Amino acid sequence: MKRNEFIKMTGLSAGTILTGSAFTGFLSSLSSCKNPHHMGLMTKPVMVNEGNFSKLLSFPTQAGANHTLTAQVTSATVNGSSIPVLGYQQNNLLGPTFRVNKGEAVNILLQNNLTEHTNVHWHGLKIPALMDGHPDQLANAGGTFRYQFTINQRAGLSWYHPHPHGKTAKQVFQGLAGMFLINDAEEAALNFPSGSYELPLVIQDKRITPGGIPYTPGAEEVMAGFMGETVLVNGIDSPYTEVATRFYRLRILNGSNARVYNLAFSNNTDMVIIGNDGGLLKNPVTVKEILIAPGERLDVLVNFAGISPGTDVYLTSKGFSNGGDAQGKQEFKIMKFKVTVPATDTFTIPATLSSITTLTASSAVKTRTFEISNAMEHHGYPMNDGMKMRHRINGKLYDGGRIDEYVAANTNEVWVFDNSKGDEPHPMHLHGVFFQVLQRSGGRNQLTAAENGWKDTVLVMPGETVRVVVPFENNTGKFVFHCHNLEHEDDGMMLQYQLS
Ligand code: C2O
Ligand code: CU
Ligand code: CU
């Protein structure tokens, strides 16, 4: 590369003089970067600092179908000190966990006490476009937004978080998120562990300082996503909980901006996956480890029977390959289960959980392909700041004034996410629908145990092309779809489809 190209692409001004070791260091960082798209931006992992697992796990308060969420600056105790955070309620990092029944009418008022606009996206709820928390539908600073909708879908774990374009990542990272559980009769009939044996767990990594949770991604961190060195579960760093020698049901949400976890237990015990983003699978699937990307959910049964009281078992994230330069490089503990109480348990895992009609590619009336590899200019959409690489879909950055895809209601389509030339993981998420994953080629070359049934977010690792089949029903209107690495999303890796 010639010097002026080099200057142009790295964003150094021509007058910048890098001398001596600074210059050689910069050059060697360039040459050691394999990816031409990054133009010298080196993405690297943010290593997790494990704590000592001495803080008791707790759970966000529970809320029903009628509630007020007050987005505010508040304080929360993290890592032993009280710091300013954003919250939907006082003195908490996370909002309440909603628990509602299928068929219920929901009425939630968002009171925005922030000094900037925000909104709430109900991730995983099939609700009208105007209630979905589209980046156009905002509550101004000091204003309100009333969300009213009916729960018209099966049991499952959804969640909620802000979606104001360009500010989503910061608002989520600083604390705004919560879980949304739906119950129904089909699920109740299966008699899963409930009450204190059902544990909703939000896993998030944060950067914690005495002054709060700073959100200051540099260019490399926009490429990799903003990751933190402290892993929280339900807002608590390195927590523990006491468990009895019996089955537990873990309702797991990866609420991190960018970090992918490869969940496994330290004693290598089985995890029985019974559900994912869209609710129950057809049949349980037993695994030793399972990836969960930002936005994804897992419903997992774990049996602590047979473990002697007094034993500590950790939920960990194991290393993984295929995750690009910044992900999967470290194995770390997330939380501790102290097996304390002997118990007897008559629960047995049902062989059949739910009936799900398998959709085929041949049912689709149309196939749309989305190129998600390339952060550079192409397809005639110029890089609009001239310097930085930007995350794009089909070469385009998000433009709220442009509809990218027009979709006919009541048709099935195949959507293809092509990351075959990419070197970063992209968890791709569609609003307003659930889909079935048909195929993954390249990279891992197969579907995971949690990719049966209904999904709303699918992880597309470097080198992979993933095909999904989407039944678009008659919930007409304008929806977004995007990468759920929130730095990528805010950077522009989001488009709109209009269903009509
Ligand atoms: Cu949880 Cu548009 O995302
Ligand atoms: Cu969503
Ligand atoms: Cu992405």
Side-chain angles (χ1 to χ4, degrees):
M1 188 184 303
K2 298 206 187 74
R3 185 164 181 271
N4 0 350
E5 281 166 2
F6 170 81
I7 285 167
K8 210 163 97 197
M9 285 166 163
T10 53
L12 296 173
S13 76
T16 307
I17 301 166
L18 289 177
T19 49
S21 61
F23 187 61
T24 3
F26 193 59
L27 279 181
S28 67
S29 79
L30 262 181
S31 55
S32 64
C33 182
K34 303 171 293 296
N35 181 12
H37 302 153
H38 286 175
M39 301 300 166
L41 292 180
M42 287 294 294
T43 62
K44 45 184 184 304
V46 173
M47 292 298 171
V48 167
N49 295 330
E50 286 175 359
N52 54 14
F53 300 94
S54 60
K55 297 183 188 90
L56 186 61
L57 179 74
S58 63
F59 301 90
T61 52
Q62 237 175 255
N66 293 284
H67 196 81
T68 298
L69 293 175
T70 307
Q72 60 191 284
V73 177
T74 182
S75 57
T77 302
V78 194
N79 256 352
S81 46
S82 173
I83 56 167
V85 300
L86 301 184
Y88 283 123
Q89 50 188 349
Q90 268 183 6
N91 303 321
N92 277 285
L93 256 176
L94 293 167
T97 300
F98 289 96
R99 191 183 275 275
V100 301
N101 292 313
K102 182 177 175 180
E104 256 191 279
V106 171
N107 186 341
I108 298 169
L109 180 71
L110 170 67
Q111 170 67 49
N112 180 7
N113 286 355
L114 305 177
T115 54
E116 61 186 19
H117 58 224
T118 188
N119 64 356
V120 179
H121 168 54
W122 308 93
H123 181 141
L125 298 191
K126 283 165 80 171
I127 53 178
L130 296 180
M131 292 290 122
D132 183 62
H134 186 281
D136 283 356
Q137 303 285 327
L138 297 166
N140 290 322
T144 61
F145 198 107
R146 185 173 292 282
Y147 295 94
Q148 288 179 288
F149 47 82
T150 300
I151 301 298
N152 191 17
Q153 65 189 76
R154 64 208 288 262
L157 168 59
S158 295
W159 64 301
Y160 61 99
H161 60 78
H163 221 296
H165 186 55
K167 295 197 165 69
T168 299
K170 183 193 76 175
Q171 291 185 2
V172 173
F173 200 76
Q174 295 186 329
L176 295 178
M179 290 195 274
F180 197 106
L181 283 159
I182 299 171
N183 293 122
D184 69 6
E186 181 191 42
E187 177 198 39
L190 295 170
N191 286 310
F192 292 126
S194 62
S196 55
Y197 306 121
E198 179 188 14
L199 311 180
L201 304 174
V202 185
I203 303 174
Q204 297 175 300
D205 60 335
K206 305 277 184 208
R207 278 183 209 185
I208 309 291
T209 72
I213 304 177
Y215 184 76
T216 53
E220 284 88 350
E221 288 164 327
V222 171
M223 292 313 295
F226 201 62
M227 287 179 264
E229 48 287 287
T230 302
V231 175
L232 308 180
V233 180
N234 296 348
I236 300 158
D237 55 287
S238 59
Y240 77 93
T241 190
E242 296 189 350
V243 291
T245 55
R246 53 161 290 145
F247 269 107
Y248 279 75
R249 181 181 187 190
L250 310 183
R251 313 296 303 270
I252 303 172
L253 159 66
N254 182 352
S256 308
N257 279 32
R259 193 182 287 278
V260 177
Y261 303 87
N262 186 19
L263 301 179
F265 277 88
S266 57
N267 64 346
N268 209 29
T269 199
D270 286 345
M271 295 186 287
V272 182
I273 301 179
I274 56 170
N276 57 4
D277 307 347
L280 294 173
L281 305 181
K282 262 187 218 176
N283 306 104
V285 191
T286 300
V287 298
K288 297 288 188 192
E289 55 186 81
I290 188 81
L291 288 172
I292 185 168
E296 288 187 307
R297 288 87 74 204
L298 288 172
D299 197 346
V300 179
L301 295 173
V302 178
N303 195 356
F304 295 106
I307 300 176
S308 15
T311 309
D312 291 338
V313 173
Y314 291 89
L315 177 64
T316 66
S317 179
K318 294 177 88 163
F320 54 91
S321 51
N322 276 324
D325 291 335
Q327 300 258 18
K329 304 295 183 207
Q330 184 192 9
E331 174 166 345
F332 53 88
K333 301 184 182 90
I334 296 171
M335 69 170 285
K336 179 162 89 177
F337 293 87
K338 287 173 82 162
V339 183
T340 50
V341 197
T344 45
D345 186 2
T346 54
F347 174 74
T348 53
I349 301 173
T352 304
L353 302 170
S354 185
S355 72
I356 292 175
T357 308
T358 301
L359 303 180
T360 58
S362 61
S363 70
V365 300
K366 197 174 171 74
T367 297
R368 298 177 202 256
T369 300
F370 300 97
E371 158 66 46
I372 57 172
S373 297
N374 202 330
M376 289 182 73
E377 169 185 7
H378 70 141
H379 294 261
Y381 291 89
M383 294 163 61
N384 65 357
D385 64 8
M387 295 295 182
K388 269 199 301 184
M389 301 301 109
R390 303 286 301 271
H391 293 90
R392 293 153 191 273
I393 300 174
N394 281 348
K396 295 190 276 185
L397 294 173
Y398 180 69
D399 176 348
R402 183 189 66 219
I403 301 292
D404 300 283
E405 307 294 334
Y406 290 88
V407 180
N410 301 309
T411 61
N412 294 353
E413 294 198 356
V414 170
W415 284 29
V416 183
F417 298 107
D418 181 355
N419 196 21
S420 57
K421 293 184 283 297
D423 63 356
E424 295 179 296
H426 299 294
M428 299 305 295
H429 169 53
L430 275 65
H431 285 213
V433 288
F434 286 99
F435 53 77
Q436 292 179 5
V437 188
L438 291 170
Q439 187 199 36
R440 171 179 284 109
S441 52
R444 292 169 286 162
N445 260 307
Q446 56 184 355
L447 304 190
T448 74
E451 288 174 334
N452 289 300
W454 294 107
K455 294 280 293 166
D456 62 35
T457 306
V458 66
L459 178 58
V460 190
M461 286 293 210
E464 294 181 354
T465 297
V466 173
R467 305 168 74 83
V468 304
V469 56
V470 195
F472 289 94
E473 296 168 359
N474 55 4
N475 185 19
T476 55
K478 184 176 72 170
F479 293 92
V480 293
F481 61 103
H482 58 87
C483 177
H484 219 290
N485 175 311
L486 297 183
E487 282 65 43
H488 295 181
E489 174 185 342
D490 272 350
D491 193 35
M493 197 170 182
M494 175 160 73
L495 301 181
Q496 302 191 85
Y497 72 90
Q498 169 83 43
L499 185 69
S500 43

